[in-house]
Every structure is written in C-alpha cells, then in structure tokens.
Amino acid sequence: MSTSRTLEGVVLAGGYSTRFGETDKAVADLAGTPLIRRVVDRLAAVTDAVVINCRDDQREAIQAALSGHDLEVRYAIDPVPDRGPLAGIAVGLEAVDREYAAVVACDMPFVEPALFEQLYAHARGHDGAVVRLEDGWYQPTQAVYRAESMARACEETLGSDDTRILAAFDSLDVVTVEEAALEGVSETTFESVDTPDDLRAAAHRLEEVSSR
Ligand SMILES: Nc1nc2c(ncn2[C@@H]2O[C@H](COP(=O)(O)OP(=O)(O)OP(=O)(O)O)[C@@H](O)[C@H]2O)c(=O)[nH]1
C-alpha cells in the first residue's frame, strides 16, 4: 500500500527528558545516529513529509540532527512549553496538511513502518487507530489519527480536568487494534528510550544485530 501522499508523520519531541538527565534525548546519539533521526528514517517508509513538535529552544539541535534528510521536515513549535504530550499532539496535528497522521514519540527508535501501514488501514474512515498492548495499556504515542478531528479533541481535552491522551478519544471514533492482531511487527517497535540505561541497552542490541 502506498501511504506517502495521504499520511504525514508527526514526531513528538517537546518533553524535557527528565529521566534521561541533563541532555535532550531527542538528539541523543544511538550507534552514530540521533534518536530523532532514526524515527524520521523509519517514517520515510510510509510518508514523505514530517512535522516535528518541539520547544523553540530544541529546534536548532534537532535541525542539525536531521540535516540533509530527504523528507520534507516542518516544525510545529509549542506556543507554551511543558503542557504535556496531549498538547504536543495537538500542536503537531494542527500543522499537518494531509487527512491522516502517523504520530510517534522521538524516543522510539525501533518504530516499525509496517505498524503504521496496518494502523492506517484500520483508521481510514475513522478518527484514528491505536494499539492495545497485551498488558491492556494503549500506545497513543505510536498511533494514526485523523489530523483535524484529533487536534480538535486534544484542544478540548486540554481545557478539562483529565488531560490524558486517552481522554481525547472519548469524543472520537478511534479503532482499537489488539497487539496480537498485528502482523510482522516486532514488539521492539514500542520500546522507548527514557533513561541513559535504556540508550545503552538499545546500542547493545544494535551491536548484536550487526555482528550476526
Ligand atoms: N510538546 C510536548 N511534548 C511532550 C511533553 N511531555 C512529553 N512530551 C512528549 O511525549 C512523548 C512521551 O513523553 P516521555 O517519554 O515521558 O518524555 P519526556 O516527558 O521528555 O521524558 P521524562 O521527563 O523523562 O518523562 C515524548 O516524545 C515527549 O517529547 C510536553 O510537555 N510537551
């Protein structure tokens, strides 16, 4: 399935990476490539345009990390920083100019394009598609959304008492896809790099794979 003309990428990078320490994990080096560049590389299999949601003070370093990339890269800067991932999704989706968007956090370097192809197939005709993991948790930061309706729902939810991403789904028709129903998608797709230890473990695994 060719998704590139109908699906745009949105990479969420506006968090403060407090568990990671002093530096911004978005641009942390994983085996020679910044995390955010790995995510954009993966998105390149399903789209030719991405929106990066971040704070203004991150932009220069992220631009350097993505320099020379083939994809069209646009920036959606948080007008107010630190309003949480729900706000980041809203700001990112408002900058999208295609009907659907593949949303992914910048700290998920093993995100699989096949996942987005399957989620997109489920999302068409609905407001989005999200995976429910085998442990019952949802993965709303690696999902496909109809940009306009999800952005609006996020803005409405930001004004409420419950600002979890999932609360935005209450007014939407978002399809749940069970993890067990995914085909050919490794569970590493959902791995996120939150701490320096996570980064070391990810680097170690890449080394093992390349030495096989
Ligand atoms: N725009 C925006 N994005 C956010 C915000 N908080 C988290 N995110 C993004 O949401 C995704 C998941 O968040 P976390 O993994 O908790 O990242 P984080 O908040 O930077 O890290 P910690 O401070 O260690 O929790 C990441 O891609 C973050 O960049 C925020 O306040 N604003």
Side-chain angles (χ1 to χ4, degrees):
M1 179 185 12
S2 170
T3 47
S4 71
R5 294 275 150 217
T6 42
L7 191 67
E8 190 159 340
V10 170
V11 181
L12 305 171
Y16 278 94
S17 348
T18 52
R19 286 168 288 172
F20 198 72
E22 293 297 300
T23 54
D24 183 4
K25 65 180 170 182
V27 294
D29 181 286
L30 173 54
T33 306
L35 279 186
I36 195 164
R37 192 174 181 108
R38 286 185 178 272
V39 172
V40 172
D41 284 346
R42 296 283 177 120
L43 282 170
V46 293
T47 186
D48 55 6
V50 292
V51 170
I52 309 291
N53 163 246
C54 63
R55 303 182 311 274
D56 200 30
D57 60 284
Q58 295 174 285
R59 182 177 175 146
E60 202 178 317
I62 292 177
Q63 266 175 332
L66 297 178
S67 74
H69 209 287
D70 288 343
L71 262 68
E72 179 195 335
V73 179
R74 302 201 312 283
Y75 288 82
I77 303 296
D78 284 344
V80 180
D82 212 16
R83 286 198 307 159
L86 179 69
I89 293 176
V91 172
L93 289 178
E94 278 157 14
V96 164
D97 55 21
R98 297 182 189 170
E99 186 175 6
Y100 286 94
V103 172
V104 55
C106 67
D107 58 3
M108 293 173 149
F110 305 114
V111 56
E112 293 212 12
L115 172 75
F116 285 130
E117 282 174 5
Q118 289 168 48
L119 289 179
Y120 179 59
H122 286 285
R124 290 179 76 172
H126 304 271
D127 292 321
V130 66
V131 175
R132 179 160 52 201
L133 300 175
E134 269 156 22
D135 62 12
W137 290 89
Y138 288 83
Q139 272 292 351
T141 57
Q142 198 171 124
V144 169
Y145 300 113
R146 183 182 264 147
E148 204 182 319
S149 49
M150 180 61 175
R152 195 171 49 240
C154 289
E155 290 292 358
E156 283 165 13
T157 306
L158 279 168
S160 74
D161 291 338
D162 183 359
T163 58
R164 291 170 309 124
I165 302 170
L166 291 184
F169 293 0
D170 287 350
S171 61
L172 298 175
D173 165 26
V174 175
V175 177
T176 296
V177 180
E178 299 298 338
E179 183 179 9
L182 296 172
E183 284 171 24
V185 176
S186 160
E187 62 189 8
T188 58
T189 193
F190 300 120
E191 255 184 52
S192 67
V193 172
D194 294 320
T195 65
D197 276 350
D198 292 343
L199 187 69
R200 278 188 284 275
H204 185 65
R205 216 183 37 251
L206 283 172
E207 256 172 47
E208 276 182 353
V209 169
S210 69
S211 67
R212 264 182 217 151

